[in-house]
Amino acid sequence: MRIELRKFGEVLTSRPAGKEAFAAIRPTLDLHASVVEVDFAGVVSLSPSFADEFFTALKGMYGSRVKYLPTDNPSVTETLKILREA
């Protein structure tokens, strides 16, 4: 299963937006998916606050089955680095 973050906008920057985005997608998620790929194509900016709300909830459901697709977007790579360190 693949989650395309661009469906939630190009600029993903607030904690409330991250929480709202996860609430919107949650009913469509397949709890039995073997892998959940997160696609950052089309995202211009991703903040740690949005990512914390969205990815923490996603990891809570899928654990290690969440995989982040490669990206060269520095906003995304730095945000993911921050979350890993937290």
Side-chain angles (χ1 to χ4, degrees):
M1 177 174 60
R2 181 172 289 188
I3 297 173
E4 296 176 351
L5 284 183
R6 72 173 164 242
K7 292 180 180 179
F8 304 108
E10 292 180 350
V11 179
L12 307 172
T13 58
S14 73
R15 192 167 290 281
K19 190 172 188 172
E20 182 179 319
F22 186 77
I25 200 169
R26 190 169 192 271
T28 68
L29 297 176
D30 175 6
L31 295 176
H32 304 291
S34 59
V35 175
V36 177
E37 298 176 325
V38 180
D39 187 350
F40 299 99
V43 173
V44 174
S45 179
L46 175 68
S47 75
S49 56
F50 180 99
D52 183 39
E53 286 292 332
F54 192 92
F55 297 137
T56 299
L58 194 62
K59 286 267 191 183
M61 289 180 72
Y62 294 102
S64 63
R65 294 181 287 165
V66 176
K67 305 295 180 202
Y68 303 112
L69 295 180
T71 180
D72 58 357
N73 181 325
S75 172
V76 172
T77 56
E78 288 303 310
T79 292
L80 293 177
K81 182 179 173 184
I82 289 167
L83 290 182
R84 277 192 303 271
E85 294 172 356

